[in-house]
Amino acid sequence: MGNFLSWMLPPGASTFVGDIDWIYYLILVVTGVAFFAVEIALVVFLVKYRKRPGGKATYVHGSTRAEIIWTSVTAVVVVVIGLLSAPAWDKIKGREGVPPNAMPIGIAAKQFEWNITYPGADGKLGTTDDFTVRGQLHVPVDKPTVATLTSVDAIHSFFVPSFRIKQDAVPGMHIRVWFQPTKVGEYELGCAELCGLGHYRMRAIVTVHTQEDYDRWVAQQAHAVAQR
Amino acid sequence: MATTATGTTPFTYDHGHEHVDDRSFIRKYIFSTDHKIIGIQFLIMSLTFLLLGGMLAMVMRWQLGFPGKPLPGGTLLPDTYTSGGVVLPEFYNSAVTMHGTFMVFFAIMPLLVGVFGNYLIPLKIGAPDMAFPRINMASFWTAVPAGLLMLAGFFVEGGSAAAGWTSYAPLSARSDLTGVHLGQIFWCVSLIVLGLSSIMGSFNYITTVINLRAPGMNWFRLPLSIWALFVTACLVLLAIPVLSGAAILLLFDQTIGTHFFDPQAGGQPLLWQHLFWFFGHPEVYILILPGMGMVSDIIANGARKPVFGYTSMVLAIIAIGFLGWGVWGHHMFQSGMNPTLGTTFMISTLLIAVPSAIKTFNWLGTIWKGQITFHVPMLHALAFVSMFVIGGLSGVFMAASPFDIYIHDTYFIVAHLHYVLFGGSLFAIFAAVTYWYPKMFGRMMNPTVGKVHFWLTLVFYNCTFFPMHQLGLHGHMRRIYDPTQYAFLKDLQPVNTFISISAFLLFATQFIFAANFIMSWFKGEKAPNNPWLDNGLEWTLPSPPPHGNFATVPTVYRGPYEYSSPHSDQDYIPQNVPTPGGGYGAPHTQPAGD
Amino acid sequence: MAHAAAIHTEDVMLPPPAREAGAGVYTEKLGMWIFLGSEVMFFTALIGTYVILRFAHPSSWKNPGEVLNIPVTAVNTFLLICSSVTMVKAFAAVQDGLLRQLRLWLVATCIIGASFVGVQVYEYTHLIEKGFVPSEGLYGSTFYTMTGFHGFHVTMGVICMIYVTLKAFRGKYTQADHRGVEVIGLYWHFVDLVWIILFTIVYLI
């Protein structure tokens, strides 16, 4: 369990890893410094100013200068963290952030499964060659995919830890969420919002293909749909 | 007299029985209007719920640490809870929900507000009782049925509520989604009833602080505990009705077929979240502010030094009280609300870190150059500061909305909220209970046992909650019954087992506290009036103080933190002792500046 | 306890001078003001819900007057406003020490307040007969919740008002001390004010 007690984030596989992970490390350093400063000061004071026979505490009520310093320093630090974080938020979640060339898919969550609708060969949703697969998310590598998330019952949450993406699926809403995988492989998709008894097993496999493999997979699925 | 001695309306001041305490046992201890008795009643009720909530946490930790293994004693539970002793998902979800509900609404909140709001406010401001003692009594006796109703959920068909303590609609609104019908209804009704209790309590506290202060007890001589309880009462007063409103809408959706949160009929699931968190974020501060206030009192006492920066401490409490209303959206970054709002809520959330930081630095300033006595309350108070720092700093991670995408609804949040609610609030409660226990019960708690309890709690607490940060950083979701379902979580199982064992030890340690609490009540050393040599008005009274508190109205000459003053040979001057050489008292509570 | 006795030998309409200066009003009145702050938040939550749902889903609402009977409710609104007037009269009477008039106006307030509730019950029965029930879409959901909770507040108000009236008949209020009358009046005017807002947004818009 040693490496699980490390403060490093697990490896990721989407373009958001670069946008998000450095904010984490930045905050980790800033809060780490604050943490050690405060805790060390606390321990030092406790040892140094412990009660001694005949000792008398210094009669002081405060220091306006100190108050101004630590108030303003804290305020500046948090505002800077906010300003540095804002662009990543706009890119990932902003309504203008979705790349125009992203491949559209539809994800309908229901207790306790993910139904994913693919656009078929024409690359457009809402046409006759669409097909729906349960529990399997297949996407091409290095290409943005935009999913329209919805739910038919409770609120679910679409969470792919390796992609650093999470978005609630809310019944009655169609929320767009996009991502661009960077590594071929298999990943896990989980539900992050309590949605009922089967919440813990509302899992799906995310397969990132090369473009050729993805096209082959789409053709296979289309074939299977046609035969049905 | 005849016109005023009896209440003119349900809202009048109770003037009965001032001269001789001839009340019957029931009037004195059961249906009592004495704020001190009501505080102790709340103490017993909320400690009971703390135990129940802790037991539910143990069930969860068993399942997470040892998934699929039979719960010890699990076979004794009904078949709807366990199968062959193994916890079922139904029981797990119900434990998740009721653990949160019990701890937030029936343990921490009444412990801080119900117990210490009641007990301390009149004593510390020099009042004979609350402004409305009978409403105060009604407040407690409304909370009891609310608690019983919440408990009753476990004994009805379908079990207790199982949609999380946040009860997100539509999961909570549709029984076909959870399999729980009556339990969810009980949850709503119980919180509506508890809301009445909280509102009765809070307007009482606010009125009392504004109108019943002893002469000389001006606003800037109020102890920080009273300031914090006052601002908290304002938050309760204004936030709880929003929860009540939301719970009523949810109740109607469940029972009479309205469609507030039903998207098929145009209702909005996110509306529940907005209402809930508009209440819920002030609630977070309701759960920490009183702790901050009482810890400030105790740290100044332990360090034998005035609180550093009293004015900025007061302003920080007020600032938190205001800013707390503008940050609720940070619970909803991933909910699908307008992303532009996300940026606004990120900035407001980060800014609320500032008053918390001010308080932390001022606590450090208070112990700086002190003469620190490590009595048991002081140890808990120092642990509060140390743990609150971790909880506060971990909050910065999720305040930054892009990183929140990753850690939202993971164990990182669980770690954060327990560092604030257990590391913060509960350590403050331990500090406060051990500090005011002699005043409440007239006996001292055993300090040796207290220190053993403190150190074991501190160690096991950190072993339990600290590794949860790492679980979250690896993407471990909250509220999942069986983490081994996921390949990426399988390797984390040893961490989960470690956490569970620590949690069991942490839980077991609390029985030391319980034993000390109960034994001292009967066998403890008799407490003097002022065991901690504190300046507060309550310490000028006998332990426990008589009905009606002060025989003569005390006059207050200075702030509550005049420790180690050069004006005195002792290292403390009680607030009601006239200044040698006369005068109405120098305004010592103002910071002296540089 | 000398201090407790001191409290009520003083002018009870003022804060006890022995204490630190408070809000400058007596405790019962202050308590009611603070309690009304809580009530404001409660109705804000309900009205906010209404506004959000209606903006998001305007098609669920029928045109004013199509389902709801505006004339009947307009008369009812007038009744409630009248009861505020009688309440003011009652307070003015007791301030002048006219205790017989105080009882008269309080009785009038009770009757008019109870009539308001009665008319609301009549309105509900008719609407339900017509098939307009709480489960009737967002319109029914919000209508019954908002007017229902207001009606509940009026009912509570009438009960307290009857209590105050009975005390008035027992001669408990005087020119010097009539806190109960003033405090219940505050609540009554508040409930009246909420109704004017609700009537406007639920019935007229």
Side-chain angles (χ1 to χ4, degrees):
Chain A
M1 87 191 223
N3 62 327
F4 292 111
L5 292 181
S6 115
W7 284 96
M8 305 302 281
L9 290 175
S14 86
T15 51
F16 295 158
V17 174
D19 297 313
I20 285 178
D21 288 17
W22 78 271
I23 295 174
Y24 164 69
Y25 291 114
L26 169 77
I27 298 175
L28 185 66
V29 170
V30 172
T31 56
V33 168
F35 169 76
F36 282 109
V38 171
E39 303 286 356
I40 290 173
L42 182 67
V43 171
V44 167
F45 289 174
L46 292 184
V47 174
K48 195 168 169 197
Y49 303 117
R50 67 187 184 277
K51 188 174 180 64
R52 290 189 172 83
K56 190 153 188 182
T58 307
Y59 182 72
V60 54
H61 284 91
S63 151
T64 311
R65 190 199 288 157
E67 301 289 345
I68 291 170
I69 291 173
W70 57 52
T71 306
S72 46
V73 168
T74 317
V76 169
V77 168
V78 294
V79 167
V80 167
I81 289 176
L83 293 177
L84 290 174
S85 302
W89 174 256
D90 289 339
K91 177 182 168 187
I92 298 168
K93 290 284 175 106
R95 294 202 169 141
E96 312 298 313
V98 182
N101 63 338
M103 178 184 84
I105 58 170
I107 300 181
K110 71 179 257 214
Q111 285 184 334
F112 300 96
E113 60 193 42
W114 301 96
N115 290 303
I116 295 138
T117 303
Y118 295 88
D122 64 356
K124 290 196 183 80
L125 279 179
T127 54
T128 48
D129 66 345
D130 293 358
F131 59 91
T132 302
V133 179
R134 176 158 49 130
Q136 290 181 48
L137 174 59
H138 293 260
V139 285
V141 73
D142 292 331
K143 205 182 153 207
T145 299
V146 58
T148 304
L149 263 181
T150 190
S151 164
V152 300
D153 38 44
I155 296 175
H156 302 275
S157 192
F158 172 84
F159 179 34
V160 185
S162 301
F163 292 176
R164 307 283 191 267
I165 188 71
K166 183 181 289 130
Q167 175 59 54
D168 287 3
V170 184
M173 292 176 79
H174 298 269
I175 302 165
R176 301 213 306 162
V177 54
W178 76 279
F179 51 86
Q180 179 171 334
T182 51
K183 275 186 215 140
V184 171
E186 281 204 346
Y187 306 95
E188 283 179 294
L189 154 63
C191 179
E193 186 68 67
L194 180 65
C195 61
L197 291 180
H199 165 58
Y200 68 99
R201 54 180 165 80
M202 190 164 163
R203 170 178 174 263
I205 296 294
V206 183
T207 314
V208 178
H209 299 279
T210 60
Q211 186 66 48
E212 301 80 59
D213 286 351
Y214 178 74
D215 294 340
R216 202 171 303 130
W217 180 80
V218 168
Q220 267 172 15
Q221 295 295 319
H223 186 63
V225 169
Q227 280 190 332
R228 227 179 273 152
Chain B
M1 282 294 289
T3 52
T4 57
T6 52
T8 43
T9 71
F11 308 109
T12 45
Y13 184 79
D14 182 8
H15 295 303
H17 312 289
E18 279 113 350
H19 301 287
V20 188
D21 195 354
D22 56 354
R23 298 167 300 159
S24 66
F25 179 82
I26 289 184
R27 294 282 293 152
K28 199 166 174 180
Y29 295 113
I30 313 288
F31 295 104
S32 174
T33 54
D34 184 335
H35 71 102
K36 300 184 290 299
I37 300 294
I38 296 170
I40 292 169
Q41 288 174 326
F42 266 115
L43 181 65
I44 292 163
M45 183 191 102
S46 41
L47 286 177
T48 311
F49 275 100
L50 192 69
L51 174 70
L52 293 172
M55 283 161 63
L56 292 172
M58 294 306 106
V59 170
M60 284 190 274
R61 271 334 304 181
W62 179 268
Q63 169 60 26
L64 291 169
F66 309 97
K69 299 239 170 59
L71 176 74
T75 46
L76 302 173
L77 292 168
D79 291 345
T80 47
Y81 285 52
T82 56
S83 157
V86 178
V87 175
L88 290 171
E90 285 85 347
F91 187 26
Y92 184 83
N93 281 2
S94 138
V96 164
T97 305
M98 298 311 267
H99 168 71
T101 306
F102 282 173
M103 290 307 197
V104 168
F105 293 107
F106 293 95
I108 307 288
M109 190 169 156
L111 270 169
L112 291 169
V113 185
V115 177
F116 292 103
N118 259 312
Y119 200 86
L120 295 184
I121 289 176
L123 284 177
K124 276 191 166 293
I125 65 173
D129 204 319
M130 285 288 175
F132 311 109
R134 280 183 291 172
I135 290 176
N136 204 19
M137 175 180 84
S139 165
F140 175 72
W141 287 108
T142 315
V144 172
L148 292 176
L149 188 61
M150 193 59 90
L151 265 179
F154 282 109
F155 303 100
V156 296
E157 200 192 334
S160 73
W165 83 275
T166 51
S167 268
Y168 275 14
L171 184 68
S172 54
R174 285 174 49 186
S175 56
D176 60 318
L177 297 179
T178 47
V180 179
H181 182 60
L182 272 178
Q184 294 294 148
I185 293 175
F186 283 12
W187 189 90
C188 288
V189 176
S190 169
L191 286 194
I192 295 164
V193 175
L194 185 72
L196 285 177
S197 160
S198 304
I199 291 167
M200 284 192 274
S202 59
F203 86 81
N204 215 338
Y205 300 164
I206 297 171
T207 312
T208 307
V209 174
I210 294 178
N211 259 14
L212 292 186
R213 282 168 289 125
M217 183 60 91
N218 63 38
W219 285 97
F220 283 88
R221 284 176 180 164
L222 280 181
L224 288 172
S225 51
I226 301 305
W227 261 111
L229 285 163
F230 177 74
V231 173
T232 301
C234 296
L235 293 179
V236 171
L237 181 89
L238 301 174
I240 291 286
V242 178
L243 173 72
S244 305
I248 285 165
L249 304 183
L250 183 58
L251 179 68
F252 286 173
D253 268 17
Q254 292 163 347
T255 52
I256 60 172
T258 56
H259 304 282
F260 293 105
F261 308 118
D262 170 15
Q264 265 135 25
Q268 300 207 338
L270 287 197
L271 176 63
W272 168 265
Q273 295 182 29
H274 278 294
L275 289 172
F276 185 85
W277 289 118
F278 186 75
F279 143 79
H281 208 80
E283 171 72 14
V284 170
Y285 295 107
I286 290 167
L287 298 172
I288 194 74
L289 278 178
M292 290 175 160
M294 294 188 295
V295 158
S296 304
D297 285 12
I298 295 168
I299 286 186
N301 175 282
R304 312 308 295 169
K305 231 186 118 223
V307 160
F308 197 85
Y310 173 91
T311 314
S312 68
M313 290 292 243
V314 171
L315 293 177
I317 292 172
I318 296 172
I320 290 173
F322 272 103
L323 289 173
W325 293 97
V327 298
W328 82 90
H330 69 224
H331 297 271
M332 297 174 62
F333 282 150
Q334 318 314 329
S335 69
M337 90 181 164
N338 188 333
T340 317
L341 285 175
T343 311
T344 319
F345 279 119
M346 167 168 67
I347 299 294
S348 63
T349 304
L350 285 164
L351 279 177
I352 208 166
V354 175
S356 302
I358 293 174
K359 299 200 75 78
T360 306
F361 290 127
N362 278 314
W363 287 318
L364 284 182
T366 306
I367 59 170
W368 170 70
K369 292 191 174 177
Q371 284 285 314
I372 302 165
T373 316
F374 295 96
H375 51 57
V376 177
M378 182 65 172
L379 290 174
H380 283 288
L382 293 168
F384 167 93
V385 175
S386 167
M387 297 299 112
F388 176 74
V389 166
I390 301 179
L393 291 174
S394 68
V396 178
F397 289 86
M398 60 212 65
S401 55
F403 188 59
D404 181 73
I405 298 173
Y406 181 57
I407 52 170
H408 179 78
D409 270 331
T410 68
Y411 263 80
F412 198 91
I413 309 291
V414 180
H416 163 73
L417 76 92
H418 283 94
Y419 264 90
V420 182
L421 279 184
F422 192 140
S425 310
L426 205 54
F427 272 106
I429 287 165
F430 283 136
V433 169
T434 48
Y435 196 72
W436 280 286
Y437 187 98
K439 191 53 62 185
M440 288 179 168
F441 300 105
R443 289 177 189 273
M444 303 299 290
M445 285 179 92
N446 184 312
T448 317
V449 178
K451 279 180 187 169
V452 171
H453 164 254
F454 166 76
W455 285 109
L456 291 178
T457 303
L458 187 67
V459 170
F460 294 140
Y461 162 75
N462 278 295
C463 290
T464 303
F465 293 106
F466 202 81
M468 287 187 186
H469 290 113
Q470 272 79 15
L471 289 183
L473 291 176
H474 283 80
H476 194 314
M477 290 85 87
R478 287 173 79 172
R479 295 169 168 176
I480 53 173
Y481 162 74
D482 182 2
T484 59
Q485 291 281 324
Y486 288 89
F488 77 100
L489 298 180
K490 272 209 178 90
D491 296 342
L492 292 168
Q493 199 48 37
V495 183
N496 261 324
T497 311
F498 175 79
I499 290 175
S500 291
I501 293 169
S502 310
F504 301 148
L505 292 169
L506 178 63
F507 185 65
T509 303
Q510 301 322 306
F511 287 96
I512 302 175
F513 178 79
N516 194 3
F517 186 94
I518 295 166
M519 296 288 282
S520 305
W521 196 338
F522 299 103
K523 299 237 162 98
E525 195 188 318
K526 285 257 187 273
N529 288 1
N530 192 359
W532 316 114
L533 308 180
D534 190 298
N535 297 329
L537 292 179
E538 76 273 33
W539 304 106
T540 62
L541 295 170
S543 303
H547 185 50
N549 298 345
F550 300 90
T552 50
V553 185
T555 302
V556 174
Y557 294 91
R558 65 185 65 73
Y561 303 118
E562 291 307 296
Y563 294 106
S564 304
S565 161
H567 303 291
S568 169
D569 300 335
Q570 291 171 305
D571 69 350
Y572 71 109
I573 322 176
Q575 284 184 274
N576 65 338
V577 172
T579 310
Y584 190 59
H588 283 313
T589 52
Q590 302 294 337
D594 273 4
Chain C
M1 296 199 185
H3 68 291
I7 289 176
H8 34 99
T9 52
E10 298 299 330
D11 179 0
V12 285
M13 296 296 285
L14 294 169
R19 305 250 146 221
E20 187 70 14
V25 293
Y26 61 93
T27 297
E28 288 82 354
K29 191 172 173 181
L30 178 65
M32 181 50 88
W33 276 116
I34 294 168
F35 173 69
L36 291 182
S38 194
E39 292 281 56
V40 166
M41 290 304 284
F42 178 76
F43 281 104
T44 304
L46 293 188
I47 293 171
T49 298
Y50 176 85
V51 170
I52 288 168
L53 290 175
R54 187 156 179 181
F55 268 104
H57 226 262
S59 60
S60 295
W61 270 259
K62 300 277 191 303
N63 288 327
E66 221 170 277
V67 175
L68 305 174
N69 190 336
I70 294 181
V72 168
T73 315
V75 171
N76 215 15
T77 307
F78 178 70
L79 274 182
L80 199 61
I81 293 171
C82 285
S83 77
S84 259
V85 175
T86 55
M87 188 67 234
V88 170
K89 286 284 191 188
F91 182 60
V94 74
Q95 276 188 315
D96 296 341
L98 307 169
L99 300 185
R100 211 180 67 87
Q101 288 195 26
L102 164 73
R103 290 173 211 146
L104 196 70
W105 289 119
L106 282 179
V107 169
T109 312
C110 288
I111 292 173
I112 300 174
S115 318
F116 175 87
V117 179
V119 173
Q120 203 174 21
V121 170
Y122 165 85
E123 180 197 20
Y124 275 22
T125 354
H126 269 254
L127 288 172
I128 290 170
E129 271 171 14
K130 275 173 31 188
F132 184 67
V133 289
S135 54
E136 183 65 27
L138 290 180
Y139 194 26
S141 303
T142 50
F143 170 78
Y144 283 101
T145 308
M146 294 172 73
T147 56
F149 267 95
H150 179 267
F152 173 74
H153 276 80
V154 178
T155 311
M156 289 294 120
V158 170
I159 292 171
C160 296
M161 192 67 76
I162 292 172
Y163 178 77
V164 169
T165 310
L166 291 177
K167 289 194 106 162
F169 273 92
R170 292 207 317 254
K172 299 285 183 190
Y173 301 115
T174 59
Q175 191 170 10
D177 176 21
H178 45 266
R179 291 171 294 178
V181 179
E182 190 176 15
V183 168
I184 189 73
L186 287 176
Y187 177 80
W188 196 258
H189 298 315
F190 168 78
V191 172
D192 193 4
L193 183 73
V194 169
W195 179 252
I196 290 167
I197 298 169
L198 289 187
F199 179 61
T200 312
I201 65 172
V202 174
Y203 289 82
L204 298 183
I205 296 178

